[in-house]
Amino acid sequence: MNSITIQPAVSVKGEIIVPGDKSISHRSIMLGALAHGITTVHGFLRGEDNMSTMHAFRAMGVEINDDGKTIQICGRGLHGLKEPDDVLDCGNSGTTIRLISGLLSGQSFFSVVTGDQYLRKRPMKRVVEPLTLMGARIAGRNGGTLAPLAINGGPLKGIDYQSPVSSAQIKSSLMLAGLYADGETKVTEPSLSRDHSERMFKFFGASLTRNENGVTVRGGIELTAQHVTVPGDISSAAFFMVAALITPNSELLIKNVGVNPSRTGIIDILQAMGGDIKLLEQREISGEPVADILVRSSQLKGISISGDVVPRAIDEFPAICVAAARAEGVTTIRDAKELRVKETDRITAIAGNLRTLGITVTEIEDGMDIIGSEQLLGGTVDSCGDHRIAMSMSVAALVASSAITVTDIGCVATSFPTFFTLLEKTVGK
Ligand code: S3P
């Protein structure tokens, strides 16, 4: 198993571009495949998760070309996919398996979706249950709650679904099923999760209306191919924002980052902690807000994090917890139970690793309390096979009193294959 040892740094400086947004990259392949005409995608993230999506659509007869710069997807229309010859392996990607389960529910063929050892433990009932209400026929392990899932595609009907959790994966799965359903499919969530599907559905010409935390999709409307430019992933930028904030003498410009308001919880939280973060050159590209982000070293203070900001920062908690470990005072995190069903149980993984580094953490069911410290110890921490745990612990190493070894770092390739190269480029030793 791969590991890396990272030494403390004296600064984090320079100008970087982080790779394309993972969520938008997934959706560009999916909608491109279902549209009529050729969709081109610039800035596509070639991480393992997105390659799982690409392979799944190729296995369903979609021609997808990659010349190293641009992805070209030859759309087959809503009803042009073919039955895959084999099981669709979604690897580590929750987005791939949950979103395509919705799409596959409406096809006129049979399919099986599965994933790696981590994905096969993650809850699928959250999509299987509402899809079944729409008429989907899905079987799976453990009473249809765990992958592999076997999907007998067929006719669907629209439903009005109140999701118990704020989850873009649930919402998007039902929206994709809704493209095939008779009538309207409405999904409402407790607070708004990332709305890339809503934006991209509109961009591709779907019939869609929105109200506060709800979206309604009308079935049977064909989509039209588009040119998509994917902005940099704010979830990847987050590790560098925290790195520059906590490391003294730092000033980092992260260019071309997606700043969709449903994703900028990380900026709101770090600014509330006292972080010097500025958004420059704000603009809109392919229906998504984009900016350059300037970050300078700051003395952070502990804050309370709960409520609507949580889904807007859901993937950033590993990085936020590292910032909290270095902040003055206590940071409390609540309403974040979803962290327990990510690539690993992130509450337990972060708490365990921060304790190894000498930080006092109290773990509770839906969050944790972290007592910040000026002193972070070196040592060995484990990624638990989770890319975001691996990257956040690597950032912690920059301010530890001695080196930190992070084990099992192969997972970083799922979302940010160039992470360690960029880190090396920006840290002063
Ligand atoms: C994603 C949604 C989020 C997020 C994941 C990507 C998406 O999951 O954690 O990394 O692209 O829709 P949930 O919707 O389950 O919160």
Side-chain angles (χ1 to χ4, degrees):
M1 239 184 267
N2 277 349
S3 66
I4 192 164
T5 299
I6 298 179
Q7 304 293 336
V10 296
S11 64
V12 175
K13 280 193 172 151
E15 203 177 286
I16 57 167
I17 299 179
V18 292
D21 187 278
K22 183 157 74 76
S23 294
I24 299 175
S25 295
H26 281 301
R27 287 156 174 80
S28 68
I29 297 278
M30 294 180 189
L31 294 196
L34 300 183
H36 286 281
I38 296 179
T39 288
T40 54
V41 187
H42 296 275
F44 182 81
L45 170 63
R46 290 170 183 77
E48 286 172 1
D49 278 8
N50 296 110
M51 297 319 274
S52 295
T53 294
M54 196 187 271
H55 292 146
F57 280 87
R58 281 187 175 142
M60 291 189 280
V62 182
E63 186 185 334
I64 305 174
N65 303 308
D66 181 1
D67 65 7
K69 264 180 91 179
T70 307
I71 306 281
Q72 190 190 57
I73 307 150
C74 305
R76 297 183 60 89
L78 279 185
H79 299 282
L81 300 180
K82 74 166 185 62
E83 184 172 86
D85 296 342
D86 203 348
V87 170
L88 299 173
D89 184 356
C90 304
N92 190 244
S93 176
T95 307
T96 307
I97 198 167
R98 295 202 179 105
L99 270 60
I100 66 171
S101 294
L103 172 77
L104 293 169
S105 296
Q107 305 303 315
S108 56
F109 55 71
F110 171 78
S111 54
V112 179
V113 288
T114 191
D116 69 8
Q117 54 166 321
Y118 303 101
L119 194 59
R120 292 196 307 272
K121 288 196 194 106
R122 295 182 65 188
M124 294 301 144
K125 187 176 172 196
R126 52 181 52 205
V127 291
V128 171
E129 201 167 70
L131 289 171
T132 304
L133 291 174
M134 294 178 76
R137 292 169 300 158
I138 305 176
R141 285 192 304 129
N142 198 34
T145 64
L146 294 175
L149 301 175
I151 304 174
N152 257 308
L156 301 176
K157 57 178 189 303
I159 57 168
D160 183 348
Y161 187 65
Q162 311 270 344
S163 178
V165 263
S166 300
S167 158
Q169 293 183 353
I170 299 174
K171 173 172 65 178
S172 308
S173 181
L174 301 191
M175 288 172 69
L176 285 161
L179 291 175
Y180 292 90
D182 198 19
E184 290 186 341
T185 301
K186 183 170 184 192
V187 190
T188 309
E189 45 187 349
S191 2
L192 184 71
S193 64
R194 66 191 64 193
D195 68 357
H196 303 300
S197 295
E198 290 90 318
R199 288 170 187 259
M200 206 180 278
F201 269 51
K202 275 208 156 158
F203 198 55
F204 277 77
S207 166
L208 175 142
T209 51
R210 300 180 66 172
N211 55 21
E212 206 186 344
N213 295 334
V215 59
T216 305
V217 175
R218 171 164 290 283
I221 311 288
E222 292 286 345
L223 308 176
T224 309
Q226 298 297 332
H227 301 295
V228 178
T229 299
V230 182
D233 197 327
I234 191 167
S235 297
S236 298
F239 299 106
F240 284 91
M241 287 185 220
V242 171
L245 287 176
I246 63 176
T247 312
N249 312 307
S250 298
E251 179 170 315
L252 187 69
L253 182 64
I254 314 171
K255 297 199 77 167
N256 196 43
V257 183
V259 288
N260 177 320
S262 64
R263 296 284 298 282
T264 48
I266 176 72
I267 295 176
D268 297 347
I269 289 168
L270 293 175
Q271 283 176 336
M273 293 176 83
D276 181 353
I277 302 178
K278 290 189 179 67
L279 298 194
L280 312 174
E281 308 284 342
Q282 299 198 42
R283 53 210 187 259
E284 190 167 308
I285 301 174
S286 302
E288 290 280 350
V290 176
D292 299 339
I293 302 179
L294 181 65
V295 190
R296 293 197 183 94
S297 320
S298 307
Q299 175 56 58
L300 302 177
K301 58 179 192 305
I303 59 166
S304 297
I305 305 168
S306 65
D308 288 353
V309 76
V310 172
R312 294 177 52 238
I314 194 66
D315 288 344
E316 283 61 79
F317 281 93
I320 290 165
C321 291
V322 170
R326 282 291 284 187
E328 200 184 312
V330 184
T331 296
T332 63
I333 299 169
R334 299 288 183 274
D335 304 327
K337 201 171 161 197
E338 277 294 294
L339 295 177
R340 296 211 177 267
V341 290
K342 292 296 174 189
E343 285 79 335
T344 187
D345 177 338
R346 286 186 175 158
I347 295 179
T348 298
I350 296 164
N353 280 340
L354 288 182
R355 283 188 200 118
T356 302
L357 305 181
I359 300 296
T360 304
V361 184
T362 310
E363 186 182 330
I364 53 168
E365 187 50 24
D366 70 339
M368 60 189 121
D369 294 345
I370 300 170
I371 303 180
S373 166
E374 278 175 17
Q375 174 85 18
L376 217 66
L377 305 176
T380 298
V381 292
D382 183 27
S383 76
C384 308
D386 183 324
H387 53 139
R388 301 201 198 280
I389 302 291
M391 291 186 273
S392 57
M393 289 304 127
S394 303
V395 168
L398 304 180
V399 292
S401 54
S402 60
I404 290 180
T405 299
V406 188
T407 60
D408 193 7
I409 55 161
C411 50
V412 167
T414 60
S415 70
F416 199 166
T418 53
F419 172 75
F420 290 111
T421 315
L422 277 183
L423 194 64
E424 181 70 26
K425 187 182 142 190
T426 52
V427 297
K429 288 174 189 143

